[in-house]
Amino acid sequence: MNAPLAHSPAVRTTCPYCGVGCGVLAKPDGAGGAAVTGDPGHPANFGRLCSKGSALGETLTLHDRLLYPMMRDGGGALARASWDAALDRVADGFKRIVAQHGPNAVAFYLSGQLLTEDYYVANKLMKGFIGSANVDTNSRLCMASSVAGHKRAFGADTVPGNYEDLDQADLLVLTGSNTAWCHPVLFQRMLANKRERGARIVVIDPRRTATADEADLFLPIAPGMDTVLFSGLLTYLADVAAVNWNYVTEHTAGFDDALARAREIAPDLPTVATKTGLTESDIARFYAWFAGTRRAVTCYSQGVNQSAQGTDKVGAIINCHLATGRIGLPGAGPFSLTGQPNAMGGREVGGLANQLAAHMGFSPEEVDRVGRFWQAPHMATHEGLKAVDMFDAIARGEIKALWVMGTNPAVSLPRAAAVREALSELELFVVSENVHANDTVSAKPHVLLPAAAWGERDGTVTNSERRISRQRSFLPLPGESKPDWWAVSEVAKRLGHGEAFAYRSAAEIFREHAALSAFENEGTRDFDIGGLDTLDDRAYARLAPIQWPVRDDASQTARFFADGKFFTPDRKAKFAMPAEPALADRLGDAFPLWLNTGRIRDQWHTMTRTGRSQRLGGHLPEAFVEIHPEDAARFGIVNGEYARIATAHGKCVLKAVVTTAQQRGMLFAPIHWSDATAGLARVGDMVIAATDPYSGQPESKATAATIAPVSFRWRGFALTRTPFAPPVDVPYARVAATGGYGLLFASDESPETWRQRAERIFANAECAEYLDAPGEQYRVAAFVDGRLAGALFVAPFHAAPEWDAVKTLFEAEAVSADARRALLSGRSADGAGSCGPLVCACFGVPLGVIREAIAAGAGDADAIGRAVKAGTNCGSCKPELKRILADERAPQTV
Ligand SMILES: Nc1nc2c(c(=O)[nH]1)N[C@H]1C(S)=C(S)[C@@H](COP(=O)(O)OP(=O)(O)OC[C@H]3O[C@@H](n4cnc5c(=O)[nH]c(N)nc54)[C@H](O)[C@@H]3O)O[C@H]1N2
Ligand SMILES: Nc1nc2c(c(=O)[nH]1)N[C@H]1C(S)=C(S)[C@@H](COP(=O)(O)OP(=O)(O)OC[C@H]3O[C@@H](n4cnc5c(=O)[nH]c(N)nc54)[C@H](O)[C@@H]3O)O[C@H]1N2
Ligand code: SF4
Ligand SMILES: [Mo]
């Protein structure tokens, strides 16, 4: 009887992925799943979702969920435990280590994917009650340089503008941001601005990304050289009298010194061209556009932040906005695009080792103020260790207890393999997770705590434009999982702080957080949501998306700094004095190429959620490395074959993609694959751990590397109902397959060896097999009760078998006799072969179907959309549609 549930109302909540913070409507299906659509009423997205957001309903499975607390026994085996026993062990361990070694021997490593309420409680426990500031977060790898740059310029970590500025700007400068793939819904707003108002888009990135494909001007900058480009812009603005002197005099300090420094770094156009690798005419065009366009927004993300001089890059950008007074105005300002759904909320609670709480730091007055508010017995009085330093201290044995919550550091930190080793040094290693298997969980935690996941948890997140939105639960808590704030509060109680952590709901925590933001604030701190500290439970439950500040006196601030007042002691903004830029690593004979790392359109970080969706796995199913054709020729790399990438820190074997989108001398590899999802593809192992001196953010975009070809004789795929362990030391990728597990692999083992393996995997099934006479090809389809239970195909490398038709049968409830006969051919019963990789993930449209639409006359991306729907939802495949159109129209070479 689930008829009534069919009418259960949709729950308004927020997407758990990127910092755009789209509103979604989730309608539970009564069977543990939900239909997810965009919320037309949410001001971040007005109903739109990207491919990841619209596939949320496909990721709600419980099959890989951590459902019970677990503890490691003396023999090293993990076993189910009660919450009481697990929490006791955490509390006892922390207590003992603090007693023996002091509070700085313990640490929390948190995440911008936690809810504000979880974050607040963890930060309060460590900084006010344990007495250490060793609370850092994966935001250190993500936003730290923006935070440091904001604080240096504005006196506070303030994002001045809002999304409407992106609709109203006449010039959008995107630097170090692949917005089309990483903030797709915002990118669609930018494209609408371009289409409807004629805004120009400038993209600055060493790679020609999908974002660059839509640019009016693309600047393929040399890695790390943004500071030169923007210093050159500052000198140009001064030289063409585009500086707003009134503004500079009234509202800023340090212009003359900053200009002098800019002239040292970028004295003239030829120098800028030499250092950035750009042409003088492109640079001049960018400068003229910027100088001549009052409504200019500069958006930046990891190409700027993840740099050993990220804070200076941010400073060089902000300098140009201050010099022109283009900040805090409609359609104008610097705009840090935040990565994670709650990167901003984490900053608001102070969940970074160099912040205290509520945008306060460690000055004696601030420590005193927060201490009085919390009635805290053991206030931390100085900054704690930032992520990279924290894991170094763990490796040295100085930090002995660590609680990881909502992040996968064994994959995502630089030198990930070393991080994993460091974890094994811990006396107490606690992980709060949603899944029971990822690389951090496999690094042998002593205690595993099952956390409420998206759809179950309840609280708030803040997006890139300072808008606080509710994440609401629409599914019951599965197994014994609990909200993270609950687990932290329980440990706090066991440490003797019951009164300060007697929270019964997220709403209570939120009220306290809001009250702290207003406590003795009087307009001195940007972050103030005092107007929300009296929300009762009902009002919290109903809270509509709201932008901060929300002050007690109900005064409105749509944009910060519109009045030219900043949060520095003299209320003036400070110009930055950036250093001459240089990358941290050095190229040499052993490592002659730069390895750049980043994201792809349809996967989220370490794939613990997006990796569950077959549709999302269809776009780019395997880990890969991109390389320019000339470098490929030089190093013997062949498109579609494999390559070994090595740096001083580690190596991987990735599929080679030879493309002119990549600059000469640079490689690009995505960060998403790990040991849990692939073989030899954990890119974080190779990344240098050099950090920015102000922000502590690692330079994840440039490590000296080398590349060499690797060939395999065979290639294949497997579809199974239970996962199986492929041979080690070969590249493989686990790919979501509805109803089971997909695997793509390369191999030097013969088809006959694979046949023997298949016999074991499909021991209890009825098998149809094919092994050709020379033993070059093997195919098996296994049936149980008339249903396809699995398949394994192996073929010579260059005749790799296609799996789309087999996948369709693998999903089907029953397989017809015709289909069964056709199966081993890899074609469906109606004769259709593979349609190729998925291009539009929203509507599941593969390349083959798009090519057919073009052949049938569709002449542009919109026409393809009308014919086969591709690109008509989130639009993030539109750049790809245009590339396909161009390819199809290009004269065929023979
Ligand atoms: N699909 C998807 N979307 C996501 C995420 C995801 O995992 N998947 N993660 C979210 C998170 S947490 C984050 S932080 C954001 C990140 O969003 P982005 O920062 O847009 O993504 P990245 O791919 O990490 O890097 C952006 C670009 O910086 C370029 N770059 C490298 N070095 C330089 C340089 O020196 N200068 C300049 N100008 N550019 C450079 C890279 O080539 C890359 O194209 O994405 C968010 N959105
Ligand atoms: N080389 C290189 N490295 C990078 C980057 C790069 O561009 N290049 N980017 C960096 C950036 S910007 C980021 S943000 C990081 C991201 O890196 P990570 O944070 O390590 O990646 P995720 O896969 O998002 O990990 C989140 C984990 O938390 C779990 N989880 C999700 N929700 C909850 C919850 O509510 N509670 C709990 N307890 N657990 C939860 C998920 O199952 C998952 O295992 O990677 C960084 N590392
Ligand atoms: S743009 Fe996509 S991933 Fe980001 S919040 Fe919106 S739907 Fe989620
Ligand atoms: Mo991030």
Side-chain angles (χ1 to χ4, degrees), residues 72 97 107-110 387-405 407-433 438-448 682 685:
R72 198 167 297 283
I97 291 166
F108 292 165
Y109 187 58
L110 310 177
V388 171
D389 294 339
M390 180 185 279
F391 282 82
D392 284 348
I394 293 169
R396 289 193 305 269
E398 291 163 17
I399 290 178
K400 296 168 194 301
L402 175 72
W403 189 345
V404 171
M405 209 177 290
T407 175
N408 194 356
V411 181
S412 55
L413 273 170
R415 285 195 280 109
V419 164
R420 220 161 128 109
E421 263 173 49
L423 292 171
S424 65
E425 300 291 317
L426 287 161
E427 284 177 29
L428 178 64
F429 175 25
V430 184
V431 177
S432 290
E433 248 305 331
N438 71 20
D439 290 24
T440 302
V441 170
S442 73
K444 297 209 165 39
H446 302 101
V447 185
L448 263 176
R682 196 172 58 203
D685 287 2

Side-chain angles (χ1 to χ4, degrees), residues 109 111 113-115 118 138-139 141-143 302 306 339-340 404-414 431-435 438 449-454 457 484 597-599 604-609 671 683-684 687 697 700-701:
Y109 187 58
S111 165
Q113 294 167 68
L114 295 174
L115 301 176
D118 301 320
N138 60 3
S139 287
L141 317 176
C142 184
M143 307 316 309
Q302 299 318 333
Q306 284 171 348
Q340 298 179 90
V404 171
M405 209 177 290
T407 175
N408 194 356
V411 181
S412 55
L413 273 170
V431 177
S432 290
E433 248 305 331
N434 293 153
V435 297
N438 71 20
L449 301 173
W454 183 78
R457 58 185 196 173
D484 289 304
T597 62
R599 291 156 172 78
W604 176 260
H605 297 166
T606 70
M607 292 168 62
T608 57
R609 288 171 291 166
I671 58 173
V683 165
V687 175
Q697 181 156 354
S700 316
K701 300 289 192 236

Side-chain angles (χ1 to χ4, degrees), residues 15 17-22 48-50 52-54 182-186:
C15 175
Y17 299 125
C18 83
V20 178
C22 296
R48 271 182 182 274
L49 293 178
C50 76
K52 294 181 297 301
S54 47
C182 295
H183 298 90
V185 166
L186 278 189

Side-chain angles (χ1 to χ4, degrees), residues 834-837 844-856 864 867-870:
S834 166
C835 288
V845 191
L847 180 62
V849 170
I850 289 161
R851 284 196 176 131
E852 276 167 24
I854 296 169
I864 296 176
V868 297
K869 286 178 95 173

Side-chain angles (χ1 to χ4, degrees), residues 539-589:
Y540 178 77
R542 291 182 180 168
L543 182 68
I546 182 166
Q547 254 184 315
W548 63 260
V550 191
R551 301 190 186 95
D552 269 328
D553 61 8
S555 60
Q556 299 282 313
T557 304
R559 289 176 186 81
F560 275 97
F561 315 139
D563 59 358
K565 298 263 185 299
F566 294 84
F567 292 96
T568 49
D570 60 3
R571 308 303 305 263
K572 289 183 169 189
K574 300 277 174 291
F575 277 91
M577 295 269 287
E580 174 77 42
L583 295 173
D585 213 350
R586 287 280 163 273
L587 297 182
D589 290 345

